[in-house]
Amino acid sequence: MSFRDVPSGLFGGRMKREEFRSLMNLSSIESVIESISRLPFGLRAMQALDQYRKTNDVSFIFSTMDNFYLEDVMSSLKYFNGDEGSVRRYFKEQIDLKNATLLLKSIKLHVDHDLIRTHLINGGSVKPENIEEILHQENMESSLKKASELVIQQGNAYPATIVDFELQAKKAIYGRSIDAISYSALSLTSIFAFILMSEMEREVMRAIVLGKALKLPRERILSIAGIEMRGG
């Protein structure tokens, strides 16, 4: 919620706006997690509290909740009409992206590799032993290149930073998924194609707004947003 009590995010899930207001009045991260422990994702977040207490790093809690969400989605995506394969592939690639980004950040922050491995999500399209190759490169540049080969799977220009990798990977996954889903028969996939196109537009707008707020050069904003520069 913003300072004017206007929603800063999306509502419509299991928690109501009043519950978020109550959470904002709590004094600690632990009390927030305990308050949502009645919900499945909150109960899962409780499992990361010990790591948070030891490291004071809230990212372990976020990672645990992301893992729950993606695992729940994959277990719920059953084959009803036989044409949901493209949607399943989209979420498998999202798992690949989450895992690759987690490994890259662990390298950047010098986090113990054994600790990070426990937070990798199962069910991606890239095998665990292959995604872990990111950890075994000689430097960050090589790790980014390996992550790009595994997740982005296209292009000759490799990202220079983790942020660039995430943005390029999202664009590549959206592009592949929208192409595949758009040619599927009308069903779940037609709805999902619209959602993905809207998500891709939101990512572009978000990149432009953040770039403007940070006063980045126009060329850099266009690059981050994935917009090709044209003459004039």
Side-chain angles (χ1 to χ4, degrees):
M1 308 295 293
S2 74
F3 70 97
R4 292 181 178 174
D5 208 27
V6 176
S8 297
L10 300 175
F11 288 89
R14 297 181 180 182
M15 294 177 62
K16 297 180 180 179
R17 188 177 305 177
E18 291 72 22
E19 293 179 275
F20 283 98
R21 287 198 187 97
S22 297
L23 293 179
M24 289 174 64
N25 293 323
L26 297 176
S27 59
S28 68
I29 290 175
E30 293 189 28
S31 59
V32 171
I33 299 302
E34 290 169 1
S35 294
I36 62 173
S37 61
R38 63 182 176 80
L39 299 167
F41 58 85
L43 186 62
R44 190 69 169 269
M46 288 283 290
Q47 299 174 10
L49 270 181
D50 282 343
Q51 284 185 334
Y52 167 72
R53 293 182 182 119
K54 292 175 183 176
T55 63
N56 202 35
D57 186 349
V58 74
S59 63
F60 289 117
I61 296 175
F62 292 143
S63 176
T64 300
M65 294 174 77
D66 284 344
N67 290 5
F68 167 78
Y69 165 71
L70 287 168
E71 289 170 6
D72 187 50
V73 167
M74 291 303 296
S75 66
S76 301
L77 261 176
K78 309 298 182 183
Y79 286 99
F80 295 107
N81 298 322
D83 57 357
E84 296 89 352
S86 53
V87 178
R88 287 180 62 87
R89 282 192 296 274
Y90 166 76
F91 280 104
K92 289 171 79 70
E93 291 194 323
Q94 285 292 329
I95 290 174
D96 296 335
L97 173 56
K98 287 285 184 185
N99 285 338
T101 303
L102 180 65
L103 294 178
L104 290 171
K105 289 180 178 178
S106 74
I107 296 170
K108 184 75 173 179
L109 299 173
H110 306 290
V111 178
D112 181 76
H113 291 175
D114 290 333
L115 177 61
I116 289 299
R117 286 188 180 96
T118 63
H119 287 273
L120 292 177
I121 312 170
N122 294 321
S125 59
V126 181
K127 294 179 180 178
E129 57 268 28
N130 292 338
I131 204 76
E132 286 189 24
E133 290 180 15
I134 296 171
L135 293 173
H136 306 312
Q137 306 303 308
E138 58 185 16
N139 52 41
M140 177 56 79
E141 182 181 356
S142 299
S143 294
L144 282 164
K145 181 178 179 181
K146 173 56 68 174
S148 301
E149 292 170 349
L150 293 172
V151 181
I152 300 176
Q153 304 172 9
Q154 62 187 28
N156 297 319
Y158 295 110
T161 67
I162 297 175
V163 172
D164 288 337
F165 165 74
E166 286 189 89
L167 292 169
Q168 290 182 30
K170 284 181 180 180
K171 182 182 178 184
I173 292 171
Y174 283 144
R176 288 194 295 266
S177 300
I178 289 171
D179 286 345
I181 291 171
S182 297
Y183 290 106
S184 300
L186 291 176
S187 65
L188 166 69
T189 52
S190 59
I191 299 171
F192 215 81
F194 172 78
I195 293 173
L196 288 187
M197 285 188 284
S198 299
E199 278 288 302
M200 188 163 61
E201 290 174 356
R202 185 183 72 87
E203 289 289 340
V204 171
M205 292 177 64
R206 179 173 176 269
I208 293 172
V209 170
L210 288 176
K212 287 286 188 180
L214 295 171
K215 295 181 171 54
L216 297 179
R218 179 174 180 271
E219 293 77 12
R220 177 60 175 156
I221 294 174
L222 292 175
S223 173
I224 292 174
I227 301 173
E228 294 183 4
M229 293 187 63
R230 302 181 185 278

